[in-house]
Amino acid sequence: MKVLGASLFGAGVIFVGGIMFWGAFNTAMEATNTLGFCINCHEMKDNVYQEYVKTVHYTNRSGVRATCSDCHVPKDWVHKFVRKIQASGEVFHWLMGTVNTPEKFDAKRYQLAKRVWATMKSTDSRECRNCHAFDQMNPAVQKQRAKKQHENAQAEGGTCIDCHKGIAHKPVHHLLEQEEEQKAAEEAKKKAEAEAKKAASAKPAAAPAAATASAPAAGGAALPPVTGKAVDWSKVAETKTVLFYPGQTAMEWVLTGTDHGGTRAFKKGDRCFECHSNETADMGAKMASGSKAEKTPIPGKRAAIPLSIKAAYDADNLYMRFEFPAGPHNDVPFVKGGKMDPENEVKVAMMIDGGKVDMAARSGCWTSCHADARDMPQAPAAPGAVPGIDTKAGYVTKYVPESRTQFDTTARNNWDKVKPQAELDALLAGGTFLDLTRWKSSGASEQGYVLAERVLKPGNDVAYTGKKEGDKWVVTMIRRLKATQPGEVALVAGQSYSVGFAVHDDFTNGRFHHVSVDLKLGLDAEGEIKAVKM
């Protein structure tokens, strides 16, 4: 009897031999998947392995370890075999000594990382999904931001490597961000040049109106100082939030992935509130202690301040009430006398976006805070000044990116790139600014706006009152709904506005305040803060 031309005995020998060959081949292939094999050359052992052992994939509370092959080698046989063939190229470069020193390895790291990211992207992060799967996650035990981003990924078809580059090795994905930003800047430049060329060839357009509803022309009849009705605050709904100490986390920091893990989500349209509203106290603790994004911590600085907000309105005015606990005094070690603003124990500020500042709807007042402002890392320093401490050189205050001819998030030195005054005037008239009001515990009420810089003057369309009541501060505000001056946002019933709040407590000044994430104020409209008509 013959099977495929071979005797039964011969067929048995071939069958057994095939099994032995297959077993030996598969055993040999599996041997190359062990951690020991992967790090038996010093290129791996002295570089990526040293980074990997410091991560959660190597050691964690559950005792489950993901080794090199779990992340870099497919589990199914066909793709695994293909990967092993591809690895022959890596053997060639090992023989050639292409990355046999730390210096050579780092020089190639970004190139190698991009290759791995591209592979993982093309396979929908197949190896990650061997352990992690959306349908196996329990959103109830995830942090707010993780839950939000996993929901986004499921809805948009995202994959693990989109957000988790550098999860086990030295991060270099900021270089990818720089490439993308440079490409975007080049495309924006080409677009601007094309539009300028088109405008130059077109007939002159009619001159723009001097003012809008958000920015009335100056010089009109001044209204009397704002006055309002008495409000029974016991009948107004309360919104509770937590202001936190932001340290040196400027807008450029928010937009840089190696600083801020939520950069990608923010750029895609997520609000800061959606990821961080439940963890602001923890965030503030990191900054206040100096463990993150703060080079000059103040001993004893409060990490966070709970803030109670109530809002109502009538036909003419918006009414708001703020309540927060008073705190102890802690001397600031780098300020003479220990108090930055000895005249004001407390200041309370509110910003409103009218919808024209690009990032304000997602970040609130954060879009006006920058790395080159006073007391920040890139502040222009006077000779001999202490780095990071108020130098008064240039005295850069808040500004919105639209006021600059460039907004470079890498160099972070946009403070002197101010647009011509005619362009700033057009932005102000068109509503591209943040409306700003502030109360000082010395008694002053101020109003103004942020565009190329912070502008504040004595308030006429806003009136604050406040005092310390026992162990808490209570501050109330009356603000005219109608915009009567340039730099004011007109508030309309039935609409919502992105707002941000700041409290300077303990005689502080500048960036050493406590701030909110972006919030929405709705006048009988959707928002975290609901103002109901009286």
Side-chain angles (χ1 to χ4, degrees), residues 33-263:
N33 281 348
T34 63
L35 179 62
F37 179 86
C38 292
I39 63 171
N40 70 1
C41 63
H42 74 87
E43 285 89 344
M44 294 295 104
K45 187 174 182 179
D46 296 343
N47 291 292
V48 291
Y49 176 70
Q50 299 304 322
E51 302 155 8
Y52 154 70
V53 297
K54 299 174 184 177
T55 71
V56 71
H57 279 112
Y58 182 80
T59 181
N60 52 69
R61 63 186 179 186
S62 66
V64 177
R65 176 175 296 172
T67 61
C68 308
S69 60
D70 290 321
C71 297
H72 295 287
V73 180
K75 287 194 179 297
D76 66 282
W77 197 90
V78 173
H79 289 105
K80 183 193 300 182
F81 184 69
V82 171
R83 178 68 186 91
K84 294 302 180 180
I85 294 174
Q86 293 171 340
S88 61
E90 297 164 17
V91 174
F92 170 78
H93 284 289
W94 170 70
L95 292 170
M96 296 296 294
T98 305
V99 291
N100 62 354
T101 68
E103 293 75 18
K104 288 182 181 180
F105 194 96
D106 276 337
K108 293 281 186 180
R109 183 186 290 273
Y110 180 49
Q111 177 185 338
L112 297 170
K114 282 208 298 183
R115 190 177 302 160
V116 173
W117 298 336
T119 298
M120 289 187 166
K121 177 75 172 176
S122 68
T123 63
D124 193 21
S125 303
R126 179 181 52 213
E127 279 63 66
C128 302
R129 295 179 189 277
N130 288 329
C131 295
H132 307 281
F134 287 134
D135 60 359
Q136 296 172 14
M137 292 180 180
N138 182 357
V141 298
Q142 292 180 344
K143 288 185 177 180
Q144 180 186 9
R145 51 183 147 162
K147 177 178 180 291
K148 172 63 178 173
Q149 296 318 311
H150 288 144
E151 289 173 350
N152 285 351
Q154 285 183 278
E156 299 166 5
T159 188
C160 309
I161 199 62
D162 289 334
C163 297
H164 295 288
K165 297 178 181 71
I167 193 68
H169 300 298
K170 181 179 177 180
V172 288
H173 50 283
H174 65 286
L175 298 176
L176 185 64
E177 292 176 4
Q178 290 174 13
E179 275 188 10
E180 293 172 348
E181 287 177 1
Q182 184 177 357
K183 183 178 179 181
E186 290 172 354
E187 291 176 352
K189 183 179 179 182
K190 289 179 181 178
K191 183 178 179 181
E193 290 173 349
E195 290 176 350
K197 186 176 180 180
K198 183 178 178 180
S201 62
K203 293 181 180 180
T212 69
S214 291
L223 294 176
V226 63
T227 57
K229 303 174 182 177
V231 180
D232 183 354
W233 291 110
S234 66
K235 297 181 179 180
V236 178
E238 177 186 38
T239 298
K240 292 185 177 181
T241 189
V242 176
L243 308 187
F244 68 103
Y245 182 62
Q248 293 176 314
T249 55
M251 195 66 214
E252 294 85 352
W253 185 97
V254 172
L255 292 169
T256 303
T258 48
D259 292 331
H260 172 223
T263 295

Side-chain angles (χ1 to χ4, degrees), residues 238-305:
E238 177 186 38
T239 298
K240 292 185 177 181
T241 189
V242 176
L243 308 187
F244 68 103
Y245 182 62
Q248 293 176 314
T249 55
M251 195 66 214
E252 294 85 352
W253 185 97
V254 172
L255 292 169
T256 303
T258 48
D259 292 331
H260 172 223
T263 295
R264 182 175 177 275
F266 179 82
K267 289 181 177 179
K268 291 187 70 174
D270 283 5
R271 296 170 56 197
C272 299
F273 176 87
E274 293 174 301
C275 287
H276 298 300
S277 60
N278 291 337
E279 58 181 19
T280 50
D282 292 337
M283 291 158 58
K286 291 180 180 179
M287 262 71 81
S289 67
S291 64
K292 185 172 186 177
E294 177 55 273
K295 296 180 180 179
T296 54
I298 299 171
K301 180 78 174 179
R302 281 202 283 183
I305 298 177

Side-chain angles (χ1 to χ4, degrees), residues 375-386:
D375 305 320
M376 296 294 273
Q378 299 299 112
V386 179

Side-chain angles (χ1 to χ4, degrees), residues 372-394:
D372 48 15
R374 61 184 176 128
D375 305 320
M376 296 294 273
Q378 299 299 112
V386 179
I389 304 304
D390 191 357
T391 64
K392 304 294 182 184

